[in-house]
Amino acid sequence: MRDLLLLNARLLDPATGLDAPGALLVRDGRIHDHGQNLGTPEGVEVLDLDGACLAPGLVDLRAALGEPGGEHRETIASAAQAAAAGGITTLCALPDTSPAIDDPALVSFLARQAGGSLTILPYGAATRSCAGKDLSEFGLLREAGAIAFTDGRRAIGPARLMRLALSYARAFGSFIVQHPEEPSLAAGGAATEGERATRMGLPGIPPAAECMMVERDIGLARLTGGHVHFAHVSTGTALEAIRRAKAEGLRVTCDTAPPYFDLNETAIGEYRTYAKLSPPLRADEDRLAVVAALADGTIDAIASDHQPHDADDKRLPFAQAEPGGAGLATLLAVTLAQVHGGRLPLLAAIGLMTDRPAKLLGIEAGRLRKGAPADLVLFSLERGWQVISGKLPGKAQNTPFDGRALEGRVLGTWKAGQRVFG
């Protein structure tokens, strides 16, 4: 592997607060040095970045890959292509596939599939077949490489089962990722309960369904000493409960996804199924609460929440269409919209997709540290582009941001020093 010198970069490293012009030297697939006045070592390939931003490769805390069982929606190869185009170099894969990732052999299989362009960290199924009845074999799954445990898009409903899951995960040095939605209140719902859903004749999901599950599981975290992580939090009341739990010192963390700070329930328009998500898009006051929680540090990470679907899943009446949106290629650019709007500093925004999720997972990623793997993303803050469904990289095209003009474009992605995009 030839050494690489990246010159004239704007170096961004949220872990150390670095935001300065400089260069970065890659040697044997790792970051050898960075800063100013590195010189030009003999035999290196030199690339002038012309002032573009160079940051650690993004760490995506949660994405569905389709494979195994849903290859008509997305394959691991197509997801890796979309991830590279979005600057993502490490991705945590949800286990609610077909079959579910509830067997050590499947964990090992998934971790090996992306090749050299992407690190896949599989979640283990918290319950067998993600069915919410019997716990999986946490110890064996953890030994095989499961990064944590979750039932993906399904909430772990029974309180006793969640209590056991938190206790067992703690024993194996791991945590539980919960889809925070009280199942009986959410069953059959298609949009956030309220005036809009009523006028459109859509079955509603009350926003309280999220906070009820969050409050319950905070109580169980207090009881067990376990670590619960709430996925794609979307309401102000749930975020306030999480804020209080953190102040109490409980092992409680959370993430959100770009639709919940960039869009509100009006995006469903006239039954626009690409904007049907789970949890559903909320009222604007909840969107603003998510923005505030990003700024004050309550939210620990921004994840893509990538949920691939094909046309047959979405070209249905709104209530029958599958929820979820493609999010790999748009993760960085939609987050940067908060920077351009003055609501989030640049380093804080990048940190929510690099250093902070890496720390949560306990992995060596998300930093421009000497000796670390040279997983890097190069992007322009100002360069604009338009999201067009049908022209996104990868297989999944069901984006809620279809037609959106964005500023912030990925120019290149490197995995262990090898350029995989751009």
Side-chain angles (χ1 to χ4, degrees):
M1 180 186 297
R2 193 176 180 189
D3 294 345
L4 175 66
L5 181 63
L6 301 172
L7 291 176
N8 297 325
R10 179 180 176 182
L11 299 174
L12 301 173
D13 185 16
T16 60
L18 174 67
D19 182 354
L24 186 142
L25 177 62
V26 176
R27 180 165 289 167
D28 297 325
R30 291 186 172 267
I31 298 172
H32 182 73
D33 200 0
H34 64 76
Q36 298 183 2
N37 304 317
L38 295 187
T40 307
E42 187 177 346
V44 302
E45 178 185 354
V46 178
L47 185 61
D48 191 327
L49 303 185
D50 196 28
C53 296
L54 186 66
L58 306 189
V59 178
D60 188 358
L61 203 55
R62 189 184 59 262
L65 298 184
E67 191 175 348
E71 289 85 353
H72 60 293
R73 299 184 177 99
E74 185 86 277
T75 64
I76 291 171
S78 67
Q81 179 188 5
I88 298 164
T89 54
T90 302
L91 180 149
C92 300
L94 292 173
D96 48 340
T97 49
S98 181
I101 310 302
D102 60 0
D103 183 278
L106 289 172
V107 172
S108 300
F109 164 80
L110 200 57
R112 294 194 305 264
Q113 293 309 299
S117 65
L118 180 68
T119 294
I120 294 179
L121 303 176
Y123 285 113
T127 66
R128 292 177 186 172
S129 301
C130 294
K133 294 181 179 179
D134 303 302
L135 289 183
S136 299
E137 295 286 350
F138 283 19
L140 295 176
L141 293 172
R142 184 74 166 149
E143 186 177 349
I147 196 70
F149 302 96
T150 180
D151 277 352
R153 293 160 287 182
R154 303 173 186 172
I156 302 171
R160 181 176 181 277
L161 191 66
M162 185 61 170
R163 176 184 181 178
L164 289 172
L166 285 168
S167 297
Y168 289 172
R170 180 189 181 192
F172 291 107
S174 190
F175 59 96
I176 300 296
V177 180
Q178 174 72 297
H179 173 72
E181 198 169 56
E182 206 291 318
S184 64
L185 281 177
T192 294
E193 186 176 274
E195 179 185 349
R196 176 169 293 273
T198 300
R199 282 194 290 105
M200 296 178 71
L202 296 173
I205 300 174
E210 181 170 282
C211 190
M212 288 174 68
M213 187 61 85
V214 166
E215 293 275 19
R216 186 203 75 173
D217 288 349
I218 287 172
L220 293 174
R222 185 184 294 113
L223 178 66
T224 62
H227 178 180
V228 60
H229 178 89
F230 297 109
H232 41 224
V233 180
S234 63
T235 64
T237 52
L239 286 164
E240 185 54 41
I242 292 166
R243 197 175 279 118
R244 291 194 301 267
K246 289 187 167 195
E248 188 181 334
L250 298 178
R251 300 178 71 194
V252 172
T253 53
C254 69
D255 68 67
T256 194
Y260 303 111
F261 57 78
D262 192 82
L263 302 173
N264 62 32
E265 62 184 347
T266 63
I268 64 176
E270 294 298 319
Y271 306 97
R272 184 169 168 260
T273 58
Y274 274 8
K276 182 183 180 182
L277 306 176
S278 178
L281 293 171
R282 305 297 190 182
D284 204 52
E285 64 187 62
D286 284 312
R287 182 190 68 80
L288 293 173
V290 173
V291 171
L294 289 170
D296 70 18
T298 299
I299 294 174
D300 297 276
I302 298 172
S304 73
D305 210 16
H306 182 69
Q307 295 288 344
H309 291 293
D310 62 9
D312 290 341
D313 293 330
K314 287 292 189 178
R315 289 177 184 167
L316 293 167
F318 194 93
Q320 283 76 54
E322 290 288 334
L328 297 174
T330 54
L331 172 61
L332 177 61
V334 178
T335 300
L336 288 177
Q338 297 299 311
V339 176
H340 291 305
R343 294 173 289 275
L344 203 57
L346 177 59
L347 280 182
I350 300 302
L352 284 160
M353 298 177 286
T354 56
D355 174 56
R356 293 185 66 186
K359 282 182 178 177
L360 178 64
L361 297 167
I363 61 173
E364 185 188 26
R367 297 184 60 183
L368 296 185
R369 184 177 58 80
K370 293 179 184 179
D375 295 353
L376 307 166
V377 58
L378 177 71
F379 64 93
S380 165
L381 271 175
E382 295 82 19
R383 188 172 297 186
W385 61 291
Q386 187 173 28
V387 182
I388 301 175
S389 179
K391 295 186 177 181
L392 290 175
K395 198 169 184 178
Q397 302 293 317
N398 54 302
T399 172
F401 299 107
D402 186 27
R404 174 72 185 276
L406 293 168
E407 288 181 272
R409 190 178 187 95
V410 174
L411 305 176
T413 304
W414 286 264
K415 181 66 181 173
Q418 293 290 332
R419 194 160 191 168
V420 294
F421 175 78

